[in-house]
Amino acid sequence: MAETRNRSTGFIAFAIIFLAVMVTTISLQETGVKKALAAMFPNYEIFAGVLPAEWIIMSRDLSSGENYGRQRSRLNDIFYSIRNGEYDPQSSTTNELRGKRELHEHVLNTGQTLYFVNPYFAFMPLHIFFAMIVAFLVSMFLPQSSGLAWVRSKMLREYERVGSLLEKQFDAHDVDFSAMLGVSREQREHMLRFTTLPQVIINEVEDYMAIRRYVNGESSNPFTPLKFYFRYRISASYGNLIQGLVSGGAAILIFVIGLRGLKLIPQEEPSLILMALSIEFILLIVLMITFAGSAQEERLDRVVKELEAEQRDAIKHQTDTLHEVLGGNRHGSGSGGGGGGFGSDSIADYEEQRLLDEVLSMMIKEAERKRSV
């Protein structure tokens, strides 16, 4: 019950951090875009207070002298008329459309380039992505005792799961897991070469040892939990989903570009195109991080290995139980009893004997059939 409450509290804290960061980035987007535009495209300037939900981005008027003053005055008059609804006092939508038409005519006369960008539409995917990253990192590195570290608690559960799986694999191969953890990396690799364990498990043990040192406070490398969580949780569980989302983002981008090619999206209103580009950019970044942090082996190999470990553990448990039962029968019936006659050392031996009996029975029946014919 307490664990469920801490998980809910951690998720609520994650959501609050996410919303706070997103609201902050949205409130600062005008300043950020202006600085970025001034640094990368100094020939353009933004007018953010003219239209209620759109920015006007125009190339600078490079005229000089009296001509520049006259054109600037005309531009200010258009801005004033749009703000005060002088083009159509009865309808704000019509007023904005007529104002845009006046701006089009103005830039045709001056030779400038004009764009209308809705920042809340075009840049919203970037705000969501940035807020998600910040909330993820904060939730990962908050102290576990605070009860607010939702991502950290998920990482610790994955750490326990991987440790349990490794222990089962080692026990199934009759290798002491604790002894392997107590030696150096070179000794551990040398010892594992003489076991029946697959060699790929060396990397898993090293990843487990790294996250174990981090959890115990022996290491403070911030990339250790991130690498571990992406490799054993994100990549293993959501790799196919992320690839599917990337394909979906590419489909959206192609569709939007197609609409632009049909001129259903005007050239001077690129908000929808910017949104599609932002979505595909974000998904490709996530795919890159997922592939960079994933394990070298295929996910199917990992699933097979996990199933193998579970089956080996179950067979070992059944074998031990059968030994106890057969051992009790031997003690109860004595050395000459019938129980000692069919006892076996393992389930494998028992199954082999059963198969041999079936084959022998089938051969005897076939021989009798031929004799009768």
Side-chain angles (χ1 to χ4, degrees):
M1 190 69 178
E3 183 180 353
T4 304
R5 192 185 308 113
N6 290 337
R7 192 178 306 172
S8 301
T9 304
F11 179 76
I12 293 172
F14 179 89
I16 291 174
I17 296 170
F18 170 79
L19 292 175
V21 174
M22 189 169 67
V23 170
T24 303
T25 57
I26 291 175
S27 64
L28 297 176
Q29 70 177 353
E30 181 180 341
T31 303
V33 172
K34 281 185 176 180
K35 290 183 177 180
L37 205 65
M40 293 185 292
F41 306 100
N43 189 38
Y44 286 85
E45 55 184 340
I46 296 180
F47 303 95
V50 181
L51 296 171
E54 289 182 308
W55 292 346
I56 300 173
I57 301 178
M58 297 177 61
S59 59
R60 297 183 184 274
D61 187 358
L62 301 179
S63 303
S64 59
E66 198 175 311
N67 191 27
Y68 174 78
R70 187 168 54 253
Q71 291 175 358
R72 196 71 181 184
S73 176
R74 173 58 181 158
L75 183 62
N76 291 332
D77 290 341
I78 296 174
F79 287 167
Y80 179 83
S81 299
I82 295 174
R83 291 192 189 102
N84 294 277
E86 293 186 357
Y87 289 110
D88 190 340
Q90 304 300 324
S91 173
S92 60
T93 302
T94 306
N95 179 74
E96 292 173 13
L97 292 175
R98 289 181 178 176
K100 288 182 178 181
R101 185 185 62 186
E102 292 293 329
L103 286 171
H104 278 295
E105 294 176 357
H106 173 74
V107 298
L108 286 175
N109 294 328
T110 60
Q112 295 174 265
T113 305
L114 175 68
Y115 297 104
F116 301 101
V117 177
N118 186 333
Y120 305 100
F121 192 70
F123 304 128
M124 186 56 68
L126 295 176
H127 293 305
I128 295 174
F129 180 60
F130 182 76
M132 187 70 70
I133 289 177
V134 174
F136 178 87
L137 293 176
V138 172
S139 184
M140 172 67 79
F141 295 109
L142 279 174
Q144 183 66 21
S145 57
S146 64
L148 305 177
W150 180 57
V151 178
R152 186 183 182 91
S153 63
K154 294 171 72 67
M155 184 272 294
L156 291 176
R157 286 199 301 272
E158 195 65 22
Y159 159 70
E160 294 174 357
R161 187 193 71 83
V162 172
S164 175
L165 176 62
L166 287 173
E167 188 171 1
K168 287 180 181 179
Q169 289 176 309
F170 274 69
D171 289 344
H173 290 265
D174 296 324
V175 181
D176 190 353
F177 183 62
S178 301
M180 284 289 180
L181 298 181
V183 298
S184 64
R185 178 173 181 172
E186 291 75 13
Q187 292 175 325
R188 186 161 48 247
E189 291 181 1
H190 180 73
M191 294 169 65
L192 286 173
R193 290 192 184 96
F194 296 95
T195 66
T196 57
L197 286 162
Q199 291 301 306
V200 73
I201 205 171
I202 296 176
N203 295 329
E204 294 187 0
V205 173
E206 295 307 321
D207 291 339
Y208 179 77
M209 288 297 298
I211 192 64
R212 186 166 179 260
R213 288 192 296 268
Y214 180 86
V215 172
N216 294 336
E218 301 172 6
S219 172
S220 58
N221 187 351
F223 292 102
T224 299
L226 296 176
K227 175 184 174 182
F228 180 84
Y229 191 71
F230 268 91
R231 173 168 293 183
Y232 293 95
R233 181 61 180 175
I234 301 297
S235 178
S237 301
Y238 305 110
N240 290 334
L241 175 62
I242 292 172
Q243 293 186 51
L245 291 176
V246 170
S247 301
I252 293 174
L253 181 60
I254 292 172
F255 178 74
V256 172
I257 296 299
L259 294 179
R260 172 66 188 89
L262 295 173
K263 296 186 178 181
L264 295 176
I265 300 176
Q267 180 180 358
E268 62 274 6
E269 296 186 7
S271 299
L272 187 60
I273 297 176
L274 288 174
M275 185 194 70
L277 289 171
S278 300
I279 292 174
E280 184 63 14
F281 170 76
I282 290 168
L283 292 175
L284 287 174
I285 290 293
V286 173
L287 182 65
M288 179 194 71
I289 296 174
T290 302
F291 279 169
S294 62
Q296 294 297 321
E297 58 181 318
E298 295 293 334
R299 284 187 295 274
L300 182 60
D301 295 338
R302 297 184 60 82
V303 172
V304 171
K305 189 167 59 178
E306 291 180 8
L307 291 175
E308 178 191 1
E310 295 289 344
Q311 291 175 351
R312 283 179 178 273
D313 185 66
I315 292 174
K316 186 175 183 298
H317 177 72
Q318 293 175 1
T319 302
D320 294 340
T321 303
L322 184 60
H323 282 167
E324 293 178 3
V325 173
L326 295 180
N329 289 340
R330 290 192 186 97
H331 289 302
S333 58
S335 60
F342 71 89
S344 60
D345 292 335
S346 66
I347 290 180
D349 295 337
Y350 175 77
E351 291 293 332
E352 183 180 357
Q353 183 63 41
R354 184 178 63 82
L355 290 173
L356 289 174
D357 291 342
E358 290 181 359
V359 172
L360 182 61
S361 176
M362 292 175 62
M363 293 174 64
I364 294 173
K365 289 181 180 180
E366 183 67 18
E368 291 178 350
R369 187 182 66 80
K370 289 182 179 180
R371 186 182 302 171
S372 62
V373 172

